[in-house]
Amino acid sequence: MNTGENGNSRKKSKSLRVLFNCQKCPAYCCSYDRIETTRRDIHRLAKHFQISYTQAEKRYTKIAYGDRVLRQRKDHIFKKVCQFLDSETRRCTIYEARPEVCRDYPDSLRCGYYDFLASERRRQDDEEFIPSA
Ligand code: SF4
Ligand code: SF4
């Protein structure tokens, strides 16, 4: 999930060309409202912010849909995004401490969000077009 130095969440094999470009995306994946967090993820957040596990759990996560997920905040592009997304640069502010699901997404050469974004941009004939989440 969005986004590190090279824009892609995960390093792919050099011989494989990924079919998405995080540099041309306003972090669509970070607008997903169910970014699950495991105990390990919360431990990592606690260590990153040098606070206790309980503080990290309370401050950065909540229960939604029966799962523990990252909290969100309002955004000027999407309705809401992960609280750790920089709203201007559209980069993750806790890249080294992001949850496992963010490290794993997308786990293929394609990104569903990017496919949708690209198809809407083609349809609108507007390279800057961003569908609201
Ligand atoms: S939605 Fe896809 S293309 Fe956009 S930042 Fe996330 S992984 Fe990258
Ligand atoms: S932790 Fe970072 S990569 Fe994961 S959803 Fe939040 S901003 Fe995106």
Side-chain angles (χ1 to χ4, degrees), residues 1-3 27 29-32 35 70 82-86 91-95 97-99 101-103:
M1 208 168 272
N2 186 69
T3 75
C29 52
C30 302
S31 69
Y32 184 51
I35 308 290
L70 287 182
C82 171
Q83 64 179 324
F84 295 123
L85 185 71
D86 183 310
R91 296 296 179 97
C92 178
T93 58
I94 57 154
Y95 193 69
R98 70 200 188 287
V101 288
C102 302
R103 292 159 196 269

Side-chain angles (χ1 to χ4, degrees), residues 1-3 7-10 19-31 78 85 90 102 105-106 110-115 117:
M1 208 168 272
N2 186 69
T3 75
N8 294 334
S9 62
R10 203 175 174 196
L19 299 171
F20 58 93
N21 186 347
C22 298
Q23 307 286 351
K24 293 184 176 178
C25 176
Y28 208 153
C29 52
C30 302
S31 69
F78 302 112
L85 185 71
R90 314 306 291 182
C102 302
Y105 185 84
R110 301 199 83 99
C111 165
Y113 291 102
Y114 192 77
D115 282 349
L117 198 60

